[in-house]
Amino acid sequence: MTQADTPPVLVTGATGRIGRLVTDLLLDAGVPVRALTHRSGTAATLPAKAQVFTGDLTVPESLEPALHGAGAVFLVWTAPPETAAAVVERLSRHVRRVVFLSSPHQTPHPFFQQPNAMARLHADIERLIAAAGLETTIIRPGMLASNSPAWWAPAIRAGQAVRWPYGAAETAPVDDRDVAAVAALTLHHDGHVGGDYVLTGPQSLTQAAQVEVIGHALGRRIAFEEMTPAEFRNLSKDAPRSTVDMLLAAWSAAVGRPAYVTTSVADILGTAPRTLHRWAADHAAEFTERP
């Protein structure tokens, strides 16, 4: 089958961290891509080979042009829950396959079992997709390595110690590139319908050890200082309280036990997942250069 014969894949959240990578990987594999963006002005950041559509998950009918003739959808939910049922119903009219970027809310590890609104939303969307009879693959990344610049880069750029709560909490950060590679492969290769994949990095590391890894990539030692939960709440007063509560509960539950680590990335891609050491070396500039 030539590229002209291959039905295009619609990538939602195409300018986001994962969606942008999925777009590139699909195009590299010769798969036509329709990139959905919320604002037309972001089209310039996308590859020239991608066909760009403007649409909004809160306005399901706006997706119609991008869906007509598509074969599959990479679904990244970036909207409130109210229109989820209408969006999934519209997907089911046009495509046979959906790869959904969800979360590990079913994972039997206390880090992932803390009540939170996003997990509930993801679970609801999974039920809607299943009820629609779509060919589905669920991708469940654990803690993303790319969270760390938002958390720790300001202090590191300033040459200060990283102050953070629950330094002994262990997670297994996964590289965005591995998540995107799994998503892209499952979108255009057979054999993954019904797949439900929890994706993690290869190693359980405390948060303090993760800061040490970043320091090693930068060629200097970065001090880590424990912050109290109350201090973290004050630092995060502009974030939703439910998100702050969830993070603190998750980190607290992860102290004293290894992170949940899977082999899913290696099983699907045939290559080992990137280590945090590799991620930090490749993204060192994010901790030294101002955005």
Side-chain angles (χ1 to χ4, degrees), residues 13 30 81 126 139 149 157 159 177 182 195:
E126 289 170 30
I139 305 294
R157 290 191 202 106
R177 294 170 293 186
V182 169

Side-chain angles (χ1 to χ4, degrees), residues 68-177:
H68 185 72
V73 173
F74 179 54
L75 181 60
V76 182
W77 193 264
T78 56
E82 288 77 16
T83 57
V87 168
V88 171
E89 190 276 332
R90 199 164 290 264
L91 298 185
S92 69
R93 294 187 209 168
H94 293 278
V95 303
R96 63 181 179 85
R97 192 170 195 168
V98 171
V99 173
F100 178 43
L101 187 70
S102 187
S103 54
H105 58 84
Q106 297 177 336
T107 303
H109 188 287
F111 181 79
F112 298 115
Q113 291 300 310
Q114 308 311 310
N116 68 89
M118 185 59 70
R120 292 190 293 272
L121 174 59
H122 284 160
D124 288 343
I125 294 174
E126 289 170 30
R127 285 190 286 269
L128 290 168
I129 293 172
L134 290 157
E135 296 179 1
T136 307
T137 306
I138 307 295
I139 305 294
R140 305 182 187 277
M143 184 64 73
L144 292 168
S146 58
N147 287 334
S148 56
W151 293 345
W152 303 328
I156 293 171
R157 290 191 202 106
Q160 300 171 351
V162 168
R163 302 190 69 250
W164 207 248
Y166 297 110
E170 297 190 37
T171 61
V174 60
D175 195 305
D176 294 31
R177 294 170 293 186

